[in-house]
Amino acid sequence: MPSANFDALRSTAGLAIDGANQDLRKYINQELHQHPELAYEEVFAHDTITKFLEDRGFTVKRSTYGLATSFEAEIGSSGRLVVICAEYDALPQIGHACGHNLIATSSIASFLGAAEALKQSGAAGRIRILGTPAEEGGGGKAKLIEAGAFKDDISAAIMAHPITSHLLPSSRDGYVGLAALKMIASHKFRTEFRGKTAHAAGEPWNGVNALDAAVAAYSSVGLLRQQIKPDERIHAVIEVGGTVPNVITDYTRMNWNVRSPTIAEADKLLKRVKACIEGAAAATGCELEYITAPTYANLTANQALCEVYVDEMQAIGEKVLLHQEKPVTASTDMGNVGHVVPSFHGAFAIPTAPSVSLHSPGFAAAASTDEAHEISLKCAKGMAMLAIRTLLDDEFASRARSDFQHNHDW
């Protein structure tokens, strides 16, 4: 398709997004921000988003793929398929401190813009928006993959994430986002230590202290950290630590993340962490059980998709960095998607104070501002045209597929 036609479709997508701006802010962005929900509990978000789409004429499937808070809507009936992923879960106590209200906003906006442009083109192609719950530790996309949500011949899966400006080293050079956001892999699991209660003062020798096991595991891993690589991370919290001090604690539960640049490296680090945990159980005489959760694969980047996104953002006057040298030492279940279909996971920077980081109350506040909303919609315009060009440009779609198959480590 000639570039002049893409110019017209870019205008159509942009006008559709601009026309939905205030509704997106009021009924999606702010509603989700004011009603944060944890992983797999996003009932309000699910119902709010599906109603928003239904009110605009889309046929929406609710509670899809065996997940109560997943959904999907699709336009088109033939041709290549692009999936736009929407996240909307929040964090305990600090709400949308990862800005998933903005992810939902940008993904829905890009779906609306791309759908309108596809209609105008009259060409074959399918665009699907997929609600992906439980990114924050629940591995929603991993479960969606297992349930078949990505089994179709998908040409691209697309989404973007808000970040702080200081996470973007080139922000001082006028860059407002990043195309090739890369992240590391993460094993997620819980441990349960089981001991035996006793009177902590009268007969402590008759008890088996599960809190001692948790503290020993935490301390041992703390010592291990000085022997791990700079781009590896281990985190843990004691979720259940006992009841009262005069009763020997017979049960504790811990929540762990073990991160490394690739799954293979994360497997090696996990073995070392488990040695610390199992040593703590042996030393205290406690029984140990593991509760596993989906592993997050490292997030890779597709060169073709990233380059076109940069071009599309440039076309609307936005300067986006193509890639940066090192992955961010965080993780996402979108990494799992990128290992099964060609994927794009960009980043857009929202205004924050220099001391504000993701997963903090300050970032939650920043994610609710008018400035952040407008920035998310600019990103949506780039993603909408990324979807359209994937559907309508045969050569580009083939290049994205080739990069997925042969250039995965770019």
Side-chain angles (χ1 to χ4, degrees), residues 137 186-189 233-237 255-259 273:
S186 178
H187 285 300
K188 300 175 184 292
F189 61 96
R233 300 287 188 271
I234 309 169
H235 333 284
V237 294
N255 193 349
W256 299 81
N257 288 174
V258 177
R259 308 183 197 246
V273 170

Side-chain angles (χ1 to χ4, degrees), residues 13 16-17 20 24 52-53 56 58 107-117:
I17 292 170
L24 285 164
F52 184 90
L53 294 170
R56 281 148 188 82
F58 295 101
S107 293
I108 295 166
S110 64
F111 176 70
L112 297 178
E116 195 62 33

Side-chain angles (χ1 to χ4, degrees), residues 349-373:
I350 65 173
T352 64
S355 60
V356 170
S357 68
L358 275 80
H359 291 202
S360 73
F363 194 82
S368 72
T369 63
D370 290 341
E371 293 87 351
H373 175 74

Side-chain angles (χ1 to χ4, degrees), residues 231-243:
D231 53 2
E232 294 181 320
R233 300 287 188 271
I234 309 169
H235 333 284
V237 294
I238 300 175
E239 294 182 324
V240 179
T243 54

